[in-house]
Amino acid sequence: MNLIRPSWPAPANVRSAQTVRSGGVSAPPFTSLNLGTHVGDMLADVELNRDKLACYLHLTNKPVWLEQVHGTGVVTLPLSVQSSTPAVADAVLSRTPEQVCAIMTADCLPVLFCDTAGTVVAAAHAGWRGLANGVLESTLQAMDVDPANVMTWLGPAIGPSAFEVGGEVRAAFVAHLPQSAGAFVTHGDPSADKWLADIYQLARLRLAAAGVTQCYGGDYCTYTDSDRFFSYRREPKTGRQASLIWLE
């Protein structure tokens, strides 16, 4: 199984991994390591993919999968109530060893968090709505540590040359943080009010404003790298990759 290992100076007891689309059993168009049960893939194939991933990573506990809704909700592991339905949230954190935080994406930005002491980890799903509404800030608040002692890794998302948005998206970010204007470039006919957005830059700006200075990653494009990544904008019927983090 091919995985991306985040390149960041996380403490030795912090483990993390980023899946790519190869290494699973799903048939086209979900070829092949699709980890999402909500995209139309055969559920048996998804469960086998999830089991293969857990086995490959030698996980004591399987990852906790969320129902992501482009919001700002955060849950803490282990969950107080076990349920057959996923918890509804867009970020997850843990202070307990072997509890695996997982976020699924296919163009949205996954962000992994840890503190420099190795006492808490988190993962957040930051589509433009969640990012604009404060999912990263909500995650930091739930971690309850000094942001100066937090480091982040920005995983695979749609790149700045492919992420076209409307003027309302730009306005939402600029209203919160005026310097966000620098993350948008006019695209096409100016009268159409279309922009290319750099979601990595937008995330870095939000994190910096919240006091996080240690930010790594952010050099992928799910839309153009079809060999490695699923992309909803490229293929609306597609799978999901996952970003995972846990304390060893």
Side-chain angles (χ1 to χ4, degrees):
M1 183 176 290
N2 295 320
L3 297 175
I4 294 171
R5 297 291 185 174
S7 179
W8 60 337
N13 67 318
V14 173
R15 301 294 304 278
S16 57
Q18 170 67 51
T19 70
V20 295
R21 66 180 303 165
S22 61
V25 301
S26 293
F30 308 105
T31 314
S32 65
L33 189 63
N34 167 45
L35 298 166
T37 59
H38 62 293
V39 296
D41 194 3
M42 297 287 292
L43 292 183
D45 289 348
V46 179
E47 291 299 336
L48 182 53
N49 287 338
R50 290 179 172 185
D51 287 345
K52 284 169 61 74
L53 176 62
C55 181
Y56 184 81
L57 291 172
H58 305 291
L59 300 178
T60 302
N61 298 306
K62 293 182 179 180
V64 174
W65 305 99
L66 306 176
E67 180 184 345
Q68 300 167 193
V69 294
H70 297 275
T72 62
V74 185
V75 295
T76 299
L77 303 183
L79 298 177
S80 57
V81 177
Q82 299 300 317
S83 172
S84 59
T85 59
V88 177
D90 283 272
V92 54
L93 71 84
S94 175
R95 296 180 179 85
T96 305
E98 311 302 338
Q99 293 289 316
V100 184
C101 304
I103 290 294
M104 291 181 289
T105 59
D107 283 336
C108 291
L109 174 65
V111 182
L112 301 182
F113 299 74
C114 71
D115 69 328
T116 54
T119 66
V120 58
V121 294
H125 163 242
W128 78 258
R129 290 180 181 84
L131 186 57
N133 289 328
V135 68
L136 302 186
E137 293 88 341
S138 294
T139 306
L140 288 168
Q141 183 177 12
M143 290 175 72
D144 195 26
V145 296
D146 186 343
N149 296 326
V150 171
M151 66 180 68
T152 61
W153 182 77
L154 310 183
I158 189 168
S161 66
F163 188 25
E164 183 186 82
V165 299
E168 75 283 358
V169 175
R170 180 178 183 274
F173 282 98
V174 173
H176 177 83
L177 206 62
Q179 54 265 51
S180 296
F184 295 88
V185 177
T186 304
H187 186 54
D189 183 351
S191 65
D193 199 21
K194 296 295 184 181
W195 303 79
L196 289 176
D198 186 340
I199 199 168
Y200 292 121
Q201 185 178 352
L202 290 168
R204 291 187 186 102
L205 288 168
R206 298 291 289 245
L207 289 165
V212 177
T213 60
Q214 302 179 70
C215 192
Y216 302 88
D219 50 2
Y220 306 91
C221 180
T222 50
Y223 184 88
T224 57
D225 193 347
S226 58
D227 288 339
R228 286 199 296 175
F229 302 119
F230 298 111
S231 167
Y232 180 79
R233 285 213 175 191
R234 188 183 63 237
E235 304 166 279
K237 191 169 186 178
T238 192
R240 298 293 186 270
Q241 51 257 351
S243 309
L244 309 103
I245 190 166
W246 66 101
L247 294 168
E248 196 171 46

